[in-house]
Amino acid sequence: MRAKEPAGRAEIARSCGLSVQAVSNITEVLENDGLLRVVGQKTGVRGKPATQYSINPEGAFAVGIELRPDALICAILNLKGECIYKARVALDNAAPDMAIPAIESAISLAITTSNRDRVQLLGVGIVMPGPFGVSSQGAHDDAILPEWDGVNIQQVFEDALKCAVIVENDATAAAIAERVTGVAASIDTFCFIYFGTGLGLGVITDGHAQRGAFGNFGEIGHIITQAGGTQCVCGNNGCLETYASRLSAKRSLEEHGINLPDGFAMETLLADENPVLLDWIETASTHLSQAISILENIFDPETIILGGAMPDTVIDAFIARLNLPVGSVANRENRTIARVIGGSSGRFTAAIGGAAMIIHNTTTPSLALYN
Amino acid sequence: MRAKEPAGRAEIARSCGLSVQAVSNITEVLENDGLLRVVGQKTGVRGKPATQYSINPEGAFAVGIELRPDALICAILNLKGECIYKARVALDNAAPDMAIPAIESAISLAITTSNRDRVQLLGVGIVMPGPFGVSSQGAHDDAILPEWDGVNIQQVFEDALKCAVIVENDATAAAIAERVTGVAASIDTFCFIYFGTGLGLGVITDGHAQRGAFGNFGEIGHIITQAGGTQCVCGNNGCLETYASRLSAKRSLEEHGINLPDGFAMETLLADENPVLLDWIETASTHLSQAISILENIFDPETIILGGAMPDTVIDAFIARLNLPVGSVANRENRTIARVIGGSSGRFTAAIGGAAMIIHNTTTPSLALYN
DNA sequence: ATACTTAATTCAAGTTACTTGAGTTAACAA
DNA sequence: TTGTTAACTCAAGTAACTTGAATTAAGTAT
């Protein structure tokens, strides 16, 4: 439905295998609920002109929250997937009794500011760094929220917010965002490599997100790309994350006396062709190439998207420097999409992804993916 | 349903969220079709004794075919997943006009020999080596069937056999077999590493097989575990497959003048503690450890199963020598299953997997996985 | 202009796969 | 013997569809 818009009822019926009558009934309900609206008639062809229906962007909205150790990011997406609100709230700590009220008031503020009615709230998508429930034999990641260990996060938020809640990690949320509004709008099977503090992987197969048996799918940051390499916080050596993450860039630059407060600074350094940064990018690309090659071989995706909290220019620099094997299942003739492409990026990507999950869920024929 | 057997109707209703009445209607139909049968009453508790229903193993059956360049393997599974027939037919070549009639007569023979009625045939699962539709820039694998390139395999077989057909690669078929009859009967999310001529990966998530965008999911044999390592037929260097496959064992042994005609010979060599073989196992285990660690990080599975056309003793030797990182999402406290376990193996594994796919499909609430 | 042709849409009447609620049956327990 | 418990059946209802026969409103050919 979302793909080709606007569309007539008979057209919708053909594309989703229902009878015209069924579509007619459904559109009637959706129109009454304000989720669909008539946007004209289709003329120019024979036959009775088709009444064209379109998603009503104002019909409903979803809130996305990214919870991090030091801050809270909030975004609102309308039904069409357009971002109509963004905000960041600093946090002393992210423990439940601090974070939950902060989230509640952030959502209230967001809804008021963007002039919406809470009745039209489809749900809240919460993005939190994983992994969850893992043995603490290895040291813990900086981005982790230990206070939430053992908490049934979805339940807690559903009780607190009194609406539908989905909890996911940043990479999966970003992947879904890409499908709802981004470059993957018409791609059913793809991988998304997410640059956060560390590195995450979100995979969509046939339009559905992969979650793993324990919700820890996609810990790609800790696959080892260099045996006996740099020591990682996880206790192993040579993890991808130690070469190709924001944190690793920060470290490399600091070793040469360069401070890296934020992504903007990185963009500037790249524009200035800073040799230390270029060197880091070169190394990171080598390791990313390995990871991408593994993903291609395992998932056979239509494409692999790179995005997240990393400047677009840096992501483009990675892609330009990738060195992917030629003898791969991904190296088909007649490709329509490149093997690796850039996706959405920026500080708000994960929060937008959170909201996108809700939109995706209400839009996609759910085969019990969540619930 | 399959999990806890036998069961009363009210019990089934509770476990699958339907009303008792609905289950009653459904069991009535299934009993008339001979797929279910009454196996007694449950007494010992209060209330009216529940009529216990069980799957009728004789109610239906499925055929599995493994097509290889030199041979055709055929197996029949009854509805309960028990293998009731196995056969191997040598083939001059596996081109369609040779293979299709051979398959047709193999199936007829199988049905006759095992005393079944074709009416009860649920379908045929065909297992063929991939990858399909890949650019031929790299050299081709020994196991590949070039004559089938560009053929709509499922269509061709449905037309020829006039019944439901599923086509899959060996690793996925083996994974499904493990779920239908094997060690994964109650595991919803797991990875299966399949030792064939090369090396394949099948992944089941939430009970559904992963297929990839172009049907080439799971080419794990060609992930690179040693940069600049041994030359592989795919054109790259250091592929896992060059260290940990039957073909690589054969090569290693031949370099030392030892001939390896079949799996049985390998078992004997292992029992004799042949140093060349032990050396190969040691090396293979190192590379497998890397692959397994990657799979754990990416898929967050309940377990990883090793199986296929490799003797059980060799698989156990691999598992004993694995060296898996401690700091992994897979290293949870309170694990109920080991991180890596052995699965079914042997010459007939893939063909049995083919039949298992059919059983799985008719048994599992299909959310449009196939079709 | 008039009479086809084409295609979208509606109306009314099934059909399927369930659920709901009110019994009925048969074991175990006090 | 009289409850209590739980499985099961019967009859009626309902949601979400499909089917087939009109109806409507273009565009097209004569």
Side-chain angles (χ1 to χ4, degrees), chain A residues 293 297 325 327, chain B residues 199 219-245 248 287:
Chain A
S293 163
N297 274 304
Chain B
L199 209 62
E219 279 298 326
I220 199 181
H222 298 286
I223 69 172
I224 295 168
T225 51
Q226 176 131 13
T230 316
Q231 171 83 36
C232 178
V233 288
C234 75
N236 299 326
N237 288 77
C239 291
L240 174 59
E241 199 165 287
T242 62
Y243 301 102
S245 69
S248 85
H287 290 271

Side-chain angles (χ1 to χ4, degrees), chain A residues 89-356:
Chain A
V89 181
L91 235 49
D92 284 346
N93 71 73
D97 46 331
M98 178 95 193
I100 293 174
I103 289 175
E104 278 179 314
S105 59
I107 293 176
S108 293
L109 177 64
I111 293 174
T112 317
T113 310
S114 59
N115 243 325
R116 301 278 148 166
D117 184 346
R118 198 157 190 141
V119 176
Q120 298 186 319
L121 173 62
L122 293 170
V124 176
I126 304 212
V127 175
M128 286 173 71
F132 306 111
V134 172
S135 154
S136 41
Q137 287 189 276
H140 267 310
D141 204 295
D142 297 4
I144 262 177
L145 306 175
E147 305 92 339
W148 288 85
D149 241 34
V151 177
N152 182 341
I153 303 173
Q154 186 180 355
Q155 193 61 61
V156 164
F157 280 113
E158 271 177 355
D159 292 348
L161 303 173
K162 283 161 191 58
C163 67
V165 169
I166 297 173
V167 180
E168 265 297 357
N169 65 52
D170 42 18
T172 301
I176 294 174
E178 218 59 76
R179 218 178 116 78
V180 171
T181 30
V183 293
S186 56
I187 305 180
D188 282 338
T189 299
F190 65 94
C191 302
F192 189 107
I193 297 180
Y194 180 88
F195 293 92
T197 308
L199 209 61
L201 169 71
V203 174
I204 308 287
T205 49
D206 290 327
H208 296 293
Q210 296 292 308
R211 319 198 69 207
F214 310 97
N216 287 324
F217 183 96
E219 280 298 326
I220 199 182
H222 298 285
I223 68 172
I224 295 166
T225 52
Q226 176 131 12
T230 316
Q231 170 81 36
C232 176
V233 288
C234 74
N236 298 326
N237 289 77
C239 291
L240 174 58
E241 200 166 286
T242 62
Y243 301 102
S245 68
R246 225 170 49 203
L247 212 59
S248 85
K250 199 176 158 80
R251 274 201 217 102
S252 289
L253 289 162
E254 273 169 2
E255 276 171 22
H256 291 79
I258 305 168
N259 192 25
L260 190 70
D262 54 24
F264 188 69
M266 201 159 165
E267 216 166 345
T268 313
L269 286 171
L270 180 61
D272 294 349
E273 298 184 5
N274 176 288
V276 180
L277 182 64
L278 289 179
D279 215 52
W280 174 79
I281 290 178
E282 194 64 45
T283 309
S285 295
T286 310
H287 290 272
L288 280 172
S289 298
Q290 281 186 56
I292 289 168
S293 163
I294 290 171
L295 294 180
E296 286 181 339
N297 274 304
I298 290 182
F299 288 103
D300 187 25
E302 290 172 65
T303 192
I304 292 177
I305 305 177
L306 262 45
M310 186 72 86
D312 280 329
T313 51
V314 176
I315 286 175
D316 291 342
F318 283 143
I319 295 177
R321 284 168 180 78
L322 291 175
N323 180 20
L324 301 177
V326 174
S328 160
V329 286
N331 196 23
R332 279 166 282 109
E333 291 143 10
N334 75 350
R335 284 199 71 103
T336 53
I337 323 162
R339 286 167 74 172
V340 182
I341 61 178
S344 27
S345 55
R347 280 212 302 178
F348 295 94
T349 307
I352 291 171

Side-chain angles (χ1 to χ4, degrees), chain A residues 19 21-22 45-49:
Chain A
S19 68
Q21 185 55 52
V45 281
R46 277 192 168 191
K48 179 172 175 179

Side-chain angles (χ1 to χ4, degrees), chain B residues 9-10 21 24 46-48 50-51:
Chain B
R9 278 167 281 190
Q21 186 54 52
S24 222
R46 276 195 168 189
K48 180 174 176 179
T51 314

